[in-house]
Amino acid sequence: MAANSSPVVISGAGPVGLALAVGLAHHGIRSLVLEDDPALSRHSKAPGIHARTLEVFRAWGVIDRFMAEGEFLRQPQLWVAGMSEPQATVDLSVLADRTAYPGVMLLPQDRTEALLYERLKELGMSEVRFGHRLTSFEAGPAGVTVEVAPPSGASYRLDAEYLVGCDGAHSMVRECLGWHLEGKTYPSRFMLADVRLHDERAELPWPRMAPVPRGLLVGLRLQPQLWRIIATVLPKLDEAHALAPEQIDRHVTALFGPGPFEEVWKSLFHVHCRTSPHFRLGRVLLAGDAAHLNSPAGGQGMNSGIHDAHNLAWKLARALSGGNADALLDSYEAERRPAILTGVDRYTDLLTRAVLWPMPRTRSALAKVVRRALAHPAFVSRVAPRATMLDVHYEHSPLLSGQGPWIGARAPDGELRDADGQGRRLLDLAGREAALLLFDDHRLPAWDRGAIARRLHDLPGLTVHVVLPTDQTAGPGEWRDATGALWNAWRASGSTAALVRPDGHVGWMAERPSESELVNGIRQALGG
């Protein structure tokens, strides 16, 4: 391949651009990442990492590093400054039967980017060019030519088969496409500040809030001694006064008590709920903030961008290896844009409006109702999948077919055991390769795995797994449901078949399918 060409050029080396490059490398696809800034960001920005994102990191072989560096909370508690007991506890362990990560992780965004970049360098399939800015591009039916401005010297051109804009809210890629983010901007502004506390206040319990007449004032501990402050900015304050040292001091005192602190970083921002009208035009695609901006309430913005990358990586890989490119890449917008509009937007909008509700009494009453509800496991079991982003369900996509309750959804996960008693989680069966699951109870005619394999021999990246009930013994190439929960979760019988895509979503499912129905469903699900 020529020095100035790449299968995929990615604009932006933030968490989404790096995630896409890692995902592509995981599937054996080279990429070139352009980043306007001279180095990775050093700001904490989005610190929350949800369970579904941790599953993605597990698939990419980087989860151990995140678990080692981040603070994983299974039972986050809400503290109010001045109170000696927590005001609410959210027991996310109710998700233990659904995911290996029943909780939420706190890790500064700059560390998320650093860990992804470290993994990218290890994989050796991508180059990141810092200080190189995309200025324009020309896209045609055969490829994309990208104009790049380096830190010094003359601009140069790159040839690529695909271009993906992961270049943030002010995306140059989106601007060149002539698209604008559509939606609304909330009237209130927010301030973020990271501060270091070097005394006993650094050990205070968290997350913590301080009562304010309007809006919110919250403190999160990102790392030992490093705290994030989130505060609503009063309309009368301009940027200089909102970020003035004395204003930060007031917030620190309200949350932690009086004392010295060190300012690390601060920023003022408006909150948006805006989405691009399209995520794809031919060989050019958008992901992350370039495609959608969401309120930070609930911490789903960065996570949803990484999920964009996870969805897109395997589809680009299959398009580049001879798959049906239009069906694969049309499905990216068909799946991810509705997931943002009906999932992330609605959830974060609800939380944002609750925070910004102008009547203190109403907000106080609502807070009491929510605190009582969070004490009940049944309520948490209902809302936690949405909060942790485990409930994303694609409905309209050219790749989806068949009949069954899980088509388009994240595959129900759980523990499996092989013939030697070794354990593995079901979602680990898919990742680099898609997984065909054949549920078999040995009381019905066995699946003819040989015939299926022969019919699918020309479809690369597919493994076949037989899943048995918990009371049966696994043989070669078979897995036993370790707890009995999987068969119940899948609502499977001894003749259920399902295709789990590389992104962990179910692309096809059927009960007692014929061999032809099975083969055709799998081909469609994988763009084959």
Side-chain angles (χ1 to χ4, degrees):
M1 184 171 289
N4 274 2
S5 66
S6 176
V8 182
V9 168
I10 301 168
S11 179
V16 178
L18 293 171
L20 178 58
V22 170
L24 288 169
H26 184 71
H27 293 290
I29 300 298
R30 294 186 174 276
S31 63
L32 195 156
V33 186
L34 303 172
E35 172 53 53
D36 191 13
D37 290 338
L40 292 178
S41 172
R42 296 185 178 181
H43 301 311
S44 60
K45 297 180 183 176
I49 304 177
H50 289 302
R52 182 61 184 128
T53 309
L54 294 174
E55 291 179 342
V56 174
F57 292 161
R58 178 171 176 152
W60 290 342
V62 74
I63 185 61
D64 289 346
R65 300 171 201 187
F66 279 87
M67 297 302 289
E69 286 210 26
E71 185 149 6
F72 186 68
L73 305 178
R74 291 175 180 267
Q75 293 181 319
Q77 295 179 320
L78 178 61
W79 293 77
V80 175
M83 299 290 185
S84 59
E85 295 182 351
Q87 299 302 292
T89 299
V90 184
D91 186 1
L92 294 176
S93 65
V94 298
L95 294 172
D97 62 341
R98 302 192 188 199
T99 178
Y101 308 102
V104 61
M105 175 174 287
L106 270 292
L107 184 69
Q109 183 178 313
D110 59 317
R111 291 307 304 153
T112 293
E113 294 179 14
L115 292 176
L116 289 173
Y117 184 49
E118 179 182 294
R119 178 61 172 158
L120 188 60
K121 289 189 291 184
E122 287 177 355
L123 292 169
M125 299 289 290
S126 181
E127 176 189 358
V128 181
R129 294 184 183 177
F130 291 105
H132 291 245
R133 176 170 55 91
L134 179 150
T135 57
S136 64
F137 63 83
E138 295 179 1
V144 185
T145 300
V146 179
E147 191 82 17
V148 184
S152 60
S155 63
Y156 63 92
R157 289 188 168 189
L158 287 171
D159 293 323
E161 294 194 53
Y162 294 98
L163 168 65
V164 186
C166 303
D167 44 353
H170 304 290
S171 169
M172 177 59 72
V173 175
R174 192 187 65 245
E175 182 177 318
C176 290
L177 291 171
W179 297 338
H180 303 282
L181 296 176
E182 301 170 349
K184 64 183 178 182
T185 297
Y186 297 90
S188 296
R189 297 169 298 159
F190 288 83
M191 183 275 297
L192 300 181
D194 291 350
V195 300
R196 291 192 189 278
L197 304 177
H198 297 284
D199 53 27
E200 66 278 1
R201 294 172 301 159
E203 302 303 319
L204 286 169
W206 62 281
R208 58 194 300 107
M209 298 180 65
V212 290
R214 184 174 180 178
L216 84 164
L217 178 55
V218 175
L220 303 173
R221 192 176 72 192
L222 304 180
Q223 290 177 331
Q225 299 186 328
L226 180 63
W227 287 77
R228 158 69 55 81
I229 296 174
I230 308 169
T232 307
V233 176
L234 296 176
K236 64 182 179 181
L237 290 180
D238 59 24
E239 181 172 355
H241 287 88
L243 298 177
E246 56 270 21
Q247 189 68 23
I248 306 297
D249 182 73
R250 292 190 191 98
H251 295 325
V252 170
T253 299
L255 285 167
F256 313 109
F261 64 91
E262 173 193 349
E263 280 190 18
V264 177
W265 171 76
K266 56 189 176 183
S267 179
L268 193 69
F269 66 97
H270 284 280
V271 176
H272 304 279
C273 183
R274 296 182 177 275
T275 306
S276 175
H278 301 286
F279 287 10
R280 179 202 176 203
L281 182 63
R283 291 178 174 266
V284 183
L285 304 104
L286 302 176
D289 284 357
H292 48 88
L293 279 179
N294 307 100
S295 166
Q300 296 197 348
M302 179 188 73
N303 288 268
S304 60
I306 292 172
H307 301 172
D308 291 345
H310 192 214
N311 183 288
L312 181 57
W314 75 271
K315 295 174 179 178
L316 278 172
R318 287 193 172 269
L320 287 163
S321 62
N324 185 335
D326 281 336
L328 286 160
L329 300 182
D330 281 348
S331 78
Y332 169 65
E333 177 175 323
E335 294 175 3
R336 291 304 301 161
R337 192 169 184 274
I340 297 300
L341 292 172
T342 63
V344 177
D345 280 0
R346 289 182 183 177
Y347 176 73
T348 58
D349 180 61
L350 177 64
L351 293 181
T352 303
R353 287 189 287 112
V355 167
L356 298 178
W357 193 269
M359 304 299 292
R361 288 185 178 179
T362 304
R363 283 196 295 122
S364 178
L366 178 62
K368 290 179 180 178
V369 171
V370 172
R371 283 199 299 270
R372 292 194 189 101
L374 291 175
H376 296 280
F379 176 79
V380 177
S381 296
R382 291 186 62 184
V383 301
R386 168 59 62 89
T388 55
M389 309 186 79
L390 294 170
D391 70 336
V392 175
H393 196 145
Y394 304 135
E395 296 184 4
H396 305 291
S397 168
L399 302 186
L400 302 178
S401 67
Q403 291 184 332
W406 296 106
I407 295 172
R410 165 192 166 273
D413 196 16
E415 290 288 339
L416 298 167
R417 292 285 185 271
D418 65 11
D420 297 323
Q422 298 298 310
R424 195 173 183 185
R425 293 196 70 88
L426 185 142
L427 278 178
D428 289 342
L429 300 180
R432 181 175 286 105
E433 298 179 319
L436 171 60
L437 306 181
L438 303 175
F439 290 86
D440 190 347
D441 65 6
H442 284 183
R443 287 182 287 270
L444 293 171
W447 293 98
D448 189 343
R449 280 180 277 170
I452 293 171
R454 287 190 293 274
R455 291 284 299 272
L456 296 170
H457 74 279
D458 62 332
L459 195 63
L462 175 67
T463 57
V464 181
H465 305 273
V466 172
V467 181
L468 303 174
T470 187
D471 61 349
Q472 296 186 12
T473 302
E478 297 179 338
W479 298 90
R480 179 176 64 85
D481 181 357
T483 66
L486 270 175
W487 272 56
N488 289 333
W490 278 87
R491 304 174 205 171
S493 74
S495 56
T496 298
L499 188 283
V500 181
R501 309 185 321 188
D503 63 353
H505 282 254
V506 179
W508 169 84
M509 186 174 182
E511 186 75 20
R512 296 187 180 87
S514 67
E515 187 178 299
S516 294
E517 289 172 336
L518 184 148
V519 170
N520 292 337
I522 291 171
R523 289 189 181 280
Q524 180 175 338
L526 297 179

